[in-house]
Amino acid sequence: MRYAVISDIHSNRHALKAVLTDIRSLKIDEIICLGDIVGYGPTPKEVFEAAYNNIHHFLLGNHDAVIAGIMDPGCFNDNARRLIEWTGSVLDGATGKFFRTLPLVIEGSCFRCTHGEFA
């Protein structure tokens, strides 16, 4: 099994599109996203939809956790907080519900992944 591991997309549609194109050219079997699908960038809806339709395994990132309502945006700096609050205002409740289902760790037969650190 060949995996591609991506992370910290942060609502950047152009970057995600380029990475997915590259991954397809490499004949990867499955894609793992280590979190932070949304946050900062201007296209959270489009990025979430593209990620949902193309990525096989997801981990919860801290920006995703704010959208899920399980992390306080007050722990972010002022700019990041304003951006994640704006992101939450343009996403629907189904996105937060999806993020609430995501694990903090994914383990395979010879690997273990998380968004930040295992602690």
Side-chain angles (χ1 to χ4, degrees), residues 1-82:
M1 174 84 52
R2 290 173 42 107
Y3 293 98
V5 178
I6 64 175
S7 185
D8 296 271
I9 300 164
H10 287 295
S11 301
N12 185 332
R13 181 182 62 209
H14 298 294
L16 178 59
K17 182 179 178 183
V19 168
L20 291 174
T21 298
D22 190 49
I23 288 169
R24 285 186 199 102
S25 76
L26 297 172
K27 303 198 183 334
I28 298 296
D29 298 306
E30 294 189 356
I31 303 170
I32 299 171
C33 179
L34 302 182
D36 282 354
I37 297 166
V38 299
Y40 299 123
T43 55
K45 284 186 198 178
E46 296 87 345
V47 167
F48 176 76
E49 183 178 316
Y52 185 84
N53 289 324
N54 289 282
I55 296 173
H56 303 90
H57 308 280
F58 295 88
L59 286 170
L60 184 68
N62 54 316
H63 289 258
D64 309 326
V66 171
I67 300 302
I70 55 177
M71 185 174 175
D72 181 2
C75 65
F76 288 175
N77 68 50
D78 290 343
N79 289 331
R81 188 188 74 254
R82 279 192 294 275

